Amino acid sequence: MMAFGLIALIAGAASALMFASIVSGALISLVLFYLAPLPLMVASIGWGPLCASLGGIAAAIGLGALFGLPYCLAFAVTVALPAWWLGHLVLLGRHAAGVSPAAGAAAQAEPDIEWYPVGRILLWIAGFATLTTIAALLTLGTDADTITGTLRRGLMRILRATDPQASGEADQLVDALVRIAPAAATVVSMMTLTLNLWLSAKVTATSGRLRRPWPDLMTAELPSMTLAVLCVALAFCFTGGLLAILAQIATAALMIAYALTGFAVLHTLTLALKSRTFWLGSTYAVVLVFGWPVIAMVILGLADAVFGFRERFLRNRQPPPLPTP
């Protein structure tokens, strides 16, 4: 029990230090800030959600004592809560339908477990990315005009600090950045949370503490109702005001979730290609370098959700049945 508590405190302290490093203003602190959930996620997946919750509570209290209540709340909402809950979902499983717990010694030794689907975990990540971005924006104001005005003033100060001779074109650039800032922040939050969860699962799998088999990521798909939610959020983006900003945040998070399933579709559809590694590597490189080609992955993920490309492809790849004698 002492070792369990020590691991929780070490994970919490590491996350708190990485989170608080942003105060230094150094460039490396930005990387550490975004990787702050990683130690708690490793603790959650490797030693259980209780370990992450203890470490997260201790870290939040420590940050609150050192830097004040805002840092405590920010850490709890953006780091500790996602790390604890996502780690819990990774380990969540149940006996598969039709499998009796008393089906024999062999079944008891290796029960058939149905683990929590990767697609649903992606949906939770999108929810956390939406929540953290909304919480950050509401610290700037409670209405659209106040939020956009605060963002604009902050960006103008940064721009004038780098270029004191900023002209009218700079004003247009700042206006454009203000419009895309909520969605861009959501995309960053979505990608960093996904990266942290993947890295923590890899770390625990390498150490032998991952208690579920590594999932087949090519089969990841979002629940069918997600498409309807995306359509509703997209419609509210044109209403204006604070509601439109919130809808843009939710839309951006769901779009990135569909982009990730689009990559899963791409991995599946290229199974028959001899130069599969080259095409996949080129696609990832283009998306990382330019960014905007991720739209193609969003479209591919949406198309698969509507038309079932993966299911058709895998069905056609199955060998024909053997002739009956």
Side-chain angles (χ1 to χ4, degrees), residues 90-275:
V90 167
L91 300 178
L92 192 61
R94 64 184 180 185
H95 289 284
V99 177
S100 172
Q108 291 176 1
E110 293 186 9
D112 190 4
I113 301 295
E114 181 183 359
W115 298 99
Y116 198 77
V118 175
R120 292 183 180 272
I121 294 177
L122 274 180
L123 197 57
W124 275 104
I125 293 174
F128 279 120
T130 302
L131 173 65
T132 55
T133 307
I134 290 175
L137 283 183
L138 290 179
T139 61
L140 305 178
T142 56
D143 60 87
D145 293 336
T146 304
I147 292 172
T148 55
T150 305
L151 284 173
R152 194 178 191 283
R153 287 191 296 271
L155 289 172
M156 284 300 298
R157 281 197 300 267
I158 296 173
L159 186 62
R160 285 170 181 162
T162 56
D163 183 12
Q165 305 298 325
S167 60
E169 294 181 358
D171 292 339
Q172 297 177 358
L173 175 62
V174 168
D175 290 338
L177 290 176
V178 167
R179 283 194 292 269
I180 67 172
T186 309
V187 170
V188 172
S189 178
M190 180 78 183
M191 296 306 299
T192 52
L193 269 178
T194 305
L195 178 62
N196 278 305
L197 185 60
W198 183 85
L199 285 174
S200 60
K202 277 294 183 182
V203 169
T204 50
T206 303
S207 64
R209 298 198 63 90
L210 184 62
R211 284 174 279 175
R212 67 176 285 177
W214 190 262
D216 183 5
L217 299 179
M218 289 193 300
T219 62
E221 60 179 357
L222 296 172
S224 55
M225 283 299 297
T226 308
L227 192 59
V229 174
L230 175 61
C231 292
V232 172
L234 195 59
F236 278 113
C237 289
F238 300 95
T239 56
L242 182 61
L243 181 60
I245 296 177
L246 302 183
Q248 290 167 16
I249 293 171
T251 300
L254 293 177
M255 287 288 192
I256 294 300
Y258 274 110
L260 294 173
T261 61
F263 280 108
V265 175
L266 184 66
H267 276 261
T268 302
L269 299 183
T270 55
L271 284 173
L273 296 180
K274 292 182 180 180
S275 55

